[in-house]
Structure formats: C-alpha cells, structure tokens
Amino acid sequence: MSNSDSPIKSIGLHIGEAAPGCKKTDPMLVIDHVKKSFGGLTAVDVEHLEIPKNAITALIGPNGAGKTTLFNLLTGFDTPDTGAWEFLGTSLSGVPSYKVAQMGQVRTFQLTKALSLLTVLDNMKLGAKNQVGESIFRALFPRAWRKQDAEIELKAIELLKRFNLEAKQADFAASLSGGQRKLLEMARALMTDPVLVMLDEPMAGVNPALTQSLLGHVLNLKKEGMTVLFVEHDMHMVRHIADWVVVMAEGKVVAEGPPETVMNEQAVIDAYLGAHQDTDLGVVTGRISVIDQEKEK
Amino acid sequence: MDWGTIINNTLAGLLTPTTIAFALAALGLAMHFGFAGLLNFGIAGFMAIGAYGYAISVLTFGFPWWGGMIVGIIGSILFAILLGVPTLRLRGDYLAIVTIAAAEIVRLLFLTTAFTDVTGSADGLFGYNNSGGFTSANPFPPGSYGWGPWTYNSETLWVLTFGLGVLAVCVWFLWALMRSPWGRVIKGIREDEEAIRALGKNVFAYKLQALIIGGIFGGMGGIIYAAFANVSPGVYVTSITFFIWTSLLLGGAATIWGPVIGAVIFWTLQAFLSNILPELALAGILPVSGTQAATLRFVLVGIGLMLLVIYRPQGIFGDKRELTFVK
Ligand SMILES: Nc1ncnc2c1ncn2[C@@H]1O[C@H](COP(=O)(O)OP(=O)(O)O)[C@@H](O)[C@H]1O
Ligand SMILES: [Mg+2]
C-alpha cells in the first residue's frame, strides 16, 4: 500500500452548514438524544448525529470524551438511559449486540480482544456469518458444513494475506504482538462482510511500519463500499484519511465537518488540542513517515 | 503387608462401574469448564438428578428401566436450563456460586423426610434395577468372567458393558462437537465472550447448549452409578464434585480423553491409597489408627489437587498453552 497518492476524499456529505448535528445527504446512522450516565457522570449526551454512508468518519476527542461509550451504545454492548438510533432506517434501540453485528454493523474494541488460545486462522473463521456447522445439530454431521468451512478458510487466508498475518495462521493468537492483534481483530471483523465498520483506536499500539498498511486497509474498506467510523487520536492520520470528522468533548458533539476546516474551529482547539496545540501529535506518537509524505504533497 | 491384595485391589480399580460413572461426570465438566469456560461446581447435583430421576420414575411411576434413564436425562437438561437461564448472562463466577448452592439444595431435597415416600430420605432408593427390568435385560448368562483382578460376575459385567457403551457414545459426541464450527464458537466464548458477541453469535444460547450437553453427561454418570449401587443422598455431596474436578484437571480440562483417563487414574489411586494406608497404619509405619489412615487419603487428594493446579494446570494430556488458570 502506497501513500504517495493522496486518498480520494468524499465530498458533499452534508446538507447546509457543517455544524454539530447537521444533516447528511445519505446517512447510515442517525442518532437522536442518546444519553448515558455512570452515577453522576454524563458520559454521552448526543442531541443529534448522522454518520454519512460510504465515507470514512473520524470520531475524535480527548480521553474520557465518551467515544468508546458511544460505540458501546450504538452496538448494543451497553444500553442508554434515553434516546434512539437508526441503522439504515432500522431502529436499533434494545437490539442485542449480536443481532446488531448480524445486521452488518461490526465493531472492534479499544482493548484488543484477540481470542488468545485459538489459532489465528480459527479467530478469522469465527468471523464468518451464517455458518451451518455452528448449529449444534448440524455440527454433528461434517457433511453438512465441511464445504462451507473450506470456503470460509479460503476467504480467511485471503484476508490474512492482505493483513500480512498469513505466516501466523497456525499460531495461537496469544503469540501475536499488540499491533498484530489489532490487525487480526480488524481482519476478523471483515470476515463478517460488514456494511459499517466501527474501529475503536485501530492504530493505538501499532508500530509505525504497520500504521501505513493499516491506513491503507481503512481506505480500502471505503473503496469496497463499506462505511467506516473510527476513533483516533493522531490528527495527521485523521486529516489524511477521514472524509468527515466528529469531535466529542464531555459526552457532547462539539463540532463536525471536513477535516481541513474542523481542526481550525475554536471549539475543537479548546476541547481537544488544549495545551497541546503547539505540539505535533504525529511526532509525539512517532508516526513521522506519514507526516513527511503529507508535507511533500 | 499383604502386597498381593493391595495390588489386586488397585488394579481392579482401573475398570469399575464407579470409574465409568465418574469419567462421564468429568467429561461433562470438560464440556463446561475446559471448552466453554463455565465454572460449574455443582456436577454432583447433575449426577443426583440423573440417578434419582431414574430410580424414582421406576419405583414410583412404574417406568421401564430405559424410560427411567430417559427421565434422568431430561431431569439433567431441565436442571441445566434452570441454572443457566438466570445466571449465564452474569459474570462467570456467579455461575460457580449458583451451581454449588443448587447442588446442595438438590441433595437436601432428596434427603429431607418431607418426601420420604418418593425419595427414601436418608435411606435412599434401591430395588429399581430389578423392578425396572435393567437386571433382567442382562444379555450375559450367570457365571464368572474375566481374569485376575478383573474378574466379574455377570451383573457387574452387564453394568460395565452398558457403562462403557454410554461412555463411548458421550466421548464421540463431545469429540464430534468440538471439532465442528460449533466447538469453535464454544472455545471462542471461553476466551472472550464479548468478542464473540461482536461477531454476531448468540453467546447466551451457546452457553446454555454447552451447559445442557455437559449436564447430560453428568446425569448419565449418576445413572450409571445408580445402575450398579443404590441411590443414596450421601453420595452426591460437594466433595464428590471436587473429586470430579480433580479427575478433570489431572487428565487435562480442554481435552477429550483427559477427563476419562484422569478419572481412571484418580479412582485407581483412591483404591491404592485406601488399601495401603490402613496396612501402613497396621504395620506401625504410620502413627495413626486404621480409620484415620483411610481418611488420610482425602487429605492427600487435596494436596494433590493443589500441586496439580500450581505445577501442571493443563493436566497430563493438555497443551500447556491451551489451558492455564493464570491468563
Ligand atoms: N463502565 C463504566 N462505569 C463508570 N464510568 C465509565 C464507564 N465507562 C466509561 N466511564 C466513564 O465515562 C467517560 C467516557 O469514557 P469513554 O467512553 O471510555 O471515553 P473515550 O473513549 O472517549 O476516551 C469517562 O469519564 C469514563 O471514566
Ligand atoms: Mg476510548
């Protein structure tokens, strides 16, 4: 994957002014009045938010802004105090997490969840949907599932190749490095043939060499027609691949817009960059190569 | 010391209806804990329900022996559902607390005098193998079979054959399930159920299925035990649960053959210790009385279990990487 050519950005995603809660021309997720408190702390309080279809949306904000909590709510891993949200026009309130995933909205976790004592290949194969052999009765008859299982395996190996994990397929996932686990989790999520991919800090802990290819993978998802919503702290990375940026602070959406403009809004500088506005976050996290290429352009 | 008798009794312990019954129960725990990660500390309760289900339906309701055994299995399935539905959505350790309590409740219900007519209370139940027709279903004519320590009368041989048949079916069943995509989901749940949920699998349904399958194995263990001995509430105590856990951990929790071989080793060792310890006391080598010496073996079991978990948590047959307590 080469970064020398700048990714093609999707434009014309929103209707009217780019402000918190603005309408999108073609929304995939529509969120209304979603609120979640832990004790006295309001972790998430989103009035209205639309996530555009077939685009890469970055969700940014300082630690504790409520990004992960919002992910949990949207995917059914947690229930909000109030509010409703729709995925492709279907209400997801009260829908259990596994059904959300079956509908094509798949997520990864900030704290990677590799299935340590399963092989990398088995990790991948678990991602495939509608497996005949996963029903307890048909499981007893290999004739019913062997062919499908072989197809799933081919698909898994294909994806592992793309993510440079092919050589590891027979190893336990426990033996992978932190960055490789992030890759595995993302590849496994793709096994479900998702429509919307939600990545919670996919680059955290991934070494700079892998970051490049991870960025490439995320861009590829869009090319293949998927919608991506991802949480990331690195501003350069966000600027590089995101078509749209949503900024959260203290549970609320404080700004949204295309990456070039939203970064300059005072609300964002106040909320997110704060004391770090003079610091180059890309340098801090050691992902210089991407930045350099950006500067060359 | 009479080494001949000691060795003879020890070798006989390799193949007894008791060994088979506990191998079945350990197989159930392998399904629960080794593969699905469910902490079931109430396996004795499953055995009790299997045994009483069989005996009561024959004695009180006049079922034929096979009908009674089916009732015992249905009983274990219902027990699994009863335990699982309220607890499987909670964190793992809750299941451990609930199962240990539920197994005690079951035992006390069978022990209480309130239902003496049906349960026999402290006396337990007997005679059901005859009246249910299990004894007369014996295809072996009366006589003596086998050789040396493994000499059996036709009744014991019948229970052994029947028990081994049931064990073989259960081992095959577990093997067939665990090599399938279903088994992959189950192992995934053991590793991280949230990750499995995020991949669109109904984790609760899978855990309930695993609880039921293991529960059936446990119930079958109770039935085989009852087919040989009487049904007595004194058998299904919490310490039996821990013996089965020891067997399982000895062999290897996340393996198919581990629980079976673990049970064989455990009960053979028990036979050896219960023979040699009183002899040692009698010979003045151990400074305790004969009765004390017999109970000493349970102390040794406890120490053995601790050493096992500390030094070889994956058991004899397990892959070190596949199951350890400290993750
Ligand atoms: N399970 C929980 N119990 C209590 N507080 C929580 C819980 N989960 C998150 N929080 C709090 O909610 C706020 C938002 O957390 P989170 O969504 O993880 O932020 P982010 O992902 O943006 O860094 C934080 O203040 C955090 O401490
Ligand atoms: Mg977070």
Side-chain angles (χ1 to χ4, degrees), chain A residues 7-292:
Chain A
I8 303 154
K9 293 292 181 85
S10 305
I11 47 166
L13 296 170
H14 63 294
I15 300 167
E17 204 187 331
C22 71
K23 289 224 171 305
K24 304 298 179 312
T25 44
D26 196 3
M28 169 152 278
L29 270 177
V30 180
I31 302 156
D32 272 305
H33 309 290
V34 168
K35 199 168 170 179
K36 174 77 184 177
S37 319
F38 295 108
L41 176 105
T42 305
V44 169
D45 184 6
V46 174
E47 269 304 303
H48 186 83
L49 178 64
E50 299 186 4
I51 306 296
K53 198 187 280 180
N54 196 15
I56 299 175
T57 303
L59 181 60
I60 66 171
N63 284 322
K67 306 178 296 292
T68 299
T69 308
L70 182 62
F71 262 41
N72 288 343
L73 296 174
L74 295 180
T75 50
F77 278 85
D78 206 346
T79 39
D81 306 333
T82 61
W85 64 104
E86 284 181 359
F87 170 65
L88 291 170
T90 318
S91 171
L92 285 188
S93 319
V95 176
S97 51
Y98 75 93
K99 284 202 178 134
V100 172
Q102 282 173 2
M103 289 164 82
Q105 181 182 333
V106 71
R107 60 131 357 141
T108 65
F109 295 86
Q110 181 172 355
L111 298 170
T112 330
K113 291 187 183 296
L115 305 164
S116 310
L117 303 180
L118 258 62
T119 64
V120 168
L121 188 60
D122 274 349
N123 261 271
M124 292 294 288
K125 286 164 91 175
L126 265 171
K129 283 199 287 199
N130 303 320
Q131 294 194 45
V132 177
E134 286 184 354
S135 128
I136 187 158
F137 298 108
R138 279 176 287 184
L140 293 170
F141 307 101
R143 233 175 306 164
W145 49 261
R146 201 161 264 158
K147 188 161 160 280
Q148 189 194 30
D149 203 56
E151 285 162 10
I152 289 168
E153 188 162 323
L154 283 182
K155 181 176 163 188
I157 291 172
E158 209 49 52
L159 264 170
L160 284 176
K161 272 186 198 152
R162 256 214 268 157
F163 282 79
N164 270 330
L165 288 168
E166 193 197 357
K168 296 268 181 195
Q169 54 174 285
D171 297 358
F172 279 130
S175 70
L176 299 183
S177 72
Q180 285 173 323
R181 282 182 212 191
K182 283 267 175 200
L183 286 174
L184 175 62
E185 200 184 6
M186 190 166 152
R188 191 176 64 198
L190 297 185
M191 284 294 289
T192 64
D193 295 324
V195 189
L196 169 62
V197 186
M198 297 172 61
L199 307 167
D200 200 346
E201 304 201 13
M203 329 280 182
V206 177
N207 75 48
L210 277 178
T211 312
Q212 294 261 351
S213 71
L214 242 168
L215 284 180
H217 293 313
V218 175
L219 286 167
N220 259 339
L221 300 182
K222 186 174 95 170
K223 268 189 210 147
E224 288 169 19
M226 285 173 243
T227 300
V228 180
L229 176 63
F230 78 112
V231 174
E232 176 53 45
H233 283 295
D234 191 309
M235 287 306 117
H236 294 280
M237 224 157 271
V238 168
R239 206 172 288 150
H240 187 63
I241 65 167
D243 303 307
W244 192 259
V245 178
V246 175
V247 190
M248 277 181 82
E250 292 169 353
K252 291 189 165 61
V253 175
V254 293
E256 57 176 307
E260 306 75 38
T261 54
V262 81
M263 306 282 191
N264 303 326
E265 280 186 36
Q266 195 55 44
V268 180
I269 294 168
D270 289 349
Y272 189 76
L273 300 173
H276 298 290
Q277 53 183 306
D278 301 326
T279 325
D280 193 332
L281 290 175
V283 174
V284 173
T285 48
R287 290 156 180 158
I288 297 163
S289 51
V290 180
I291 302 153
D292 288 346

Side-chain angles (χ1 to χ4, degrees), chain B residues 2 6 9-10 14 16-17 21 26 54 66 68 80 90 93 122-123 144 149 184 189 236 243 246 299 302 309:
Chain B
D2 183 0
I6 292 173
N9 287 347
T10 302
L14 280 173
T16 65
Y54 165 44
W66 50 268
L90 302 173
D93 1 9
D123 295 335
S144 179
R184 193 159 61 212
I189 290 171
Y236 308 99
F243 292 165
T246 310
V299 177
V309 171

Side-chain angles (χ1 to χ4, degrees), chain B residues 87-103:
Chain B
T87 54
L88 287 180
R89 285 180 212 278
L90 302 173
R91 225 180 51 218
D93 1 9
Y94 286 96
L95 185 68
I97 297 165
V98 171
T99 48
I100 203 166

Side-chain angles (χ1 to χ4, degrees), chain B residues 33 127 186 188 199 242 265 286 306 317:
Chain B
F33 174 70
I186 290 292
L199 295 172
F242 287 101
I265 296 175
L286 277 179
M306 287 196 282
F317 296 96

